Amino acid sequence: MLTKKQLDLLNFIHRRLQKDGVPPSFDEMKVALDLRSKSGIHRLITALEERGFIRRLAHRARAIEILRLPENMGGVPAPSANQTTAAGAFSPASARPPSTPRSTPAASVLAALEIPVMGRIAAGVPIEAINQITHQIAIPQTMLSSNGKHYALEVRGDSMINAGINDGDIVVIRETDTADDGDIVVALIADEEATLKRLFRRNGAIALEAENPAYETRVLSPNQVKVQGRLVGLIRSY
């Protein structure tokens, strides 16, 4: 039996994993649960881990996976690190409930779609804009939105590490030119540089915020920033 706070936190983590493919930060958890300090979040996380609902992955910032959900949340487990995409990389959206029969190899192929990998994206100092396809990668259909085009980028840098996005990860992006505050986006700066950051609108300006305190937030005028897509999934190789 989970307490209300434990259930609220589990539900918040689950919803964020479904939306962004990465778990929320401890600060975001604290705000969402209206707690005064992160120590309360640490206690809730520990309690959920001890009860077998989540697992923290060692040596990775903000790496939390949901192992199972209580019945009043559908009883559907979230991703397991042992599950892989058709490309052989871990996908937060590739888990299936234990009651679902294992797919045959042919069915697994049908459940995946190939999308283009457009090169590398900087999670740190912006690099040259992405403009050419390097190869294709198979992505589970469950990770892709039913509408819109998608592409993938290889992450270079550590500025988004506290969002669970590490150097060498593959991020799955849905093409869009709009974003809500707090969304992780591919931002094109001055039509020359591309970077992966959280986007916020502040006093008529655009703030591109890292998830690593070593990097400063870049504040730019709206005409300097074009949103090229929003993060919808993450693939990691172990």
Side-chain angles (χ1 to χ4, degrees), residues 27-193:
D27 282 327
E28 290 170 328
M29 296 180 202
K30 178 172 71 72
V31 171
L33 271 69
D34 194 25
L35 296 179
R36 293 185 178 181
S37 70
K38 286 188 285 188
S39 62
I41 295 297
H42 281 283
R43 288 194 293 271
L44 292 172
I45 289 288
T46 299
L48 289 172
E49 190 171 31
E50 289 175 348
R51 287 161 175 77
F53 287 95
I54 66 171
R55 176 169 62 184
R56 283 178 282 194
L57 303 178
H59 311 303
R60 294 189 182 275
R62 252 176 69 174
I64 297 173
E65 62 174 341
I66 298 178
L67 301 178
R68 64 188 180 94
L69 296 175
E71 289 184 5
N72 59 352
M73 286 178 58
V76 179
S80 166
N82 294 323
Q83 292 179 292
T84 59
T85 68
F90 167 64
S91 160
S94 63
R96 62 177 66 246
S99 58
T100 303
R102 289 185 178 273
S103 301
T104 64
S108 297
V109 173
L110 292 175
L113 293 175
E114 285 196 342
I115 64 172
V117 179
M118 302 294 292
R120 295 175 177 176
I121 184 73
V125 179
I127 57 177
E128 289 186 5
I130 308 300
N131 58 12
Q132 68 179 56
I133 298 173
T134 59
H135 60 284
Q136 300 278 329
I137 188 170
I139 302 295
Q141 289 183 350
T142 53
M143 190 183 293
L144 306 177
S145 305
S146 58
N147 56 346
K149 296 181 179 179
H150 298 75
Y151 61 92
L153 295 165
E154 182 181 354
V155 174
R156 280 289 172 261
D158 62 356
S159 74
M160 298 301 289
I161 193 169
N162 287 340
I165 303 172
N166 299 331
D167 182 56
D169 287 347
I170 298 290
V171 289
V172 179
I173 306 296
R174 182 172 68 83
E175 286 188 28
T176 180
D177 58 3
T178 62
D180 296 327
D181 279 3
D183 281 349
I184 297 176
V185 303
V186 173
L188 184 64
I189 301 172
D191 291 325
E192 294 180 352
E193 302 172 322

Side-chain angles (χ1 to χ4, degrees), residues 190-205:
D191 291 325
E192 294 180 352
E193 302 172 322
T195 189
L196 187 71
K197 294 289 182 292
R198 284 199 187 276
L199 181 145
F200 295 93
R201 296 169 182 85
R202 296 173 181 166
N203 301 319

